[in-house]
Amino acid sequence: MGVRAGIVVCITSFLLGSLFTHWIADSLTLWKSPVTDEHLWTAATYYSILAKGPPAALYFLAAVVATGGITILWSLRDGEAGNIMFDGGSIFLFGTTIAMYLYSVLPSVFATFNSLPAHQLKDPFPRSLRFATLELASNNLICSVALTGVLALQAGRSWAERSDADDEEFEESEAEGTRSRAKTPDPRTEKLHQRIESTD
């Protein structure tokens, strides 16, 4: 695996790990049945804490995302068929994740969960917050699947490059063997020449 592919894999893995931390909240709304008011309040409180977090965390995350996107685009510039196929798919999935976060996830977190009403866990959950909480969990799941696809495509690219390198080595060894056989004289041909020369 090259340096650029290694950077993409590391950054994608970091972003996946960041999304997996939301499992604390999302597991209560996606995988619990029935979804109770207590589950929804817990998830909403978690996202409220994130919305009030330090802006430096967002700047750091933006820098990591930008580095990953630039690295994939850099690989795509090579113009090789494998890069176009694997990195093109990676850019699509990576871009889909970024677009979903910029236009859906982050606006929802800051607009909806920045200030929650005073409540107890057993209080009825507001209907206006219910849809936003469930949608947020679904969007996080979609982003996780998309980033997993980026990892799969980069693994496929690495396998394809290794297979191409093995094929090239095999072809080079075959060509080298052919050249060495051509340079080595055949003993039977030499004997035939010697008989012809002795006859003359």
Side-chain angles (χ1 to χ4, degrees):
M1 181 181 295
V3 175
R4 284 175 290 186
I7 292 174
V8 173
V9 168
C10 289
I11 288 176
T12 305
S13 300
F14 173 80
L15 295 176
L16 266 177
S18 300
L19 285 174
F20 287 158
T21 60
H22 303 329
W23 183 253
I24 301 169
D26 296 344
S27 63
L28 300 175
T29 55
L30 282 178
W31 308 108
K32 296 286 186 180
S33 182
V35 178
T36 64
D37 290 335
E38 184 176 352
H39 293 158
L40 291 170
W41 278 123
T42 302
T45 302
Y46 170 82
Y47 285 113
S48 178
I49 294 171
L50 287 184
K52 297 174 183 176
L58 275 180
Y59 297 146
F60 173 76
L61 191 61
V64 171
V65 170
T67 303
I70 291 171
T71 306
I72 298 176
L73 288 172
W74 183 19
S75 298
L76 190 62
R77 283 188 57 203
D78 292 346
E80 297 179 3
N83 289 356
I84 294 173
M85 181 174 63
F86 291 111
D87 287 336
S90 296
I91 288 172
F92 174 77
L93 294 175
F94 203 83
T96 299
T97 303
I98 294 172
M100 182 167 288
Y101 245 71
L102 288 178
Y103 295 104
S104 181
V105 174
L106 292 180
S108 177
V109 168
F110 290 114
T112 308
F113 298 96
N114 197 30
S115 59
L116 293 178
H119 65 276
Q120 300 292 329
L121 284 179
K122 300 296 183 180
D123 292 345
F125 195 76
R127 185 177 296 274
S128 59
L129 282 177
R130 182 184 181 90
F131 175 76
T133 306
L134 295 176
E135 184 184 36
L136 194 55
S138 300
N139 289 340
N140 283 332
L141 179 62
I142 292 171
C143 291
S144 298
V145 172
L147 291 178
T148 303
V150 173
L151 290 180
L153 286 170
Q154 292 301 312
R157 175 189 171 186
S158 177
W159 176 83
E161 288 179 348
R162 189 179 303 113
S163 178
D164 290 342
D166 292 342
D167 290 342
E168 288 177 2
E169 289 180 3
F170 177 76
E171 290 175 0
E172 288 177 0
S173 63
E174 283 291 311
E176 185 66 29
T178 302
R179 286 193 295 268
S180 62
R181 286 193 297 270
K183 291 179 181 178
T184 304
D186 189 351
R188 291 175 296 181
T189 305
E190 285 188 346
K191 289 182 180 180
L192 181 59
H193 284 303
Q194 290 175 358
R195 288 180 183 174
I196 294 173
E197 289 175 358
S198 63
T199 304
D200 294 341

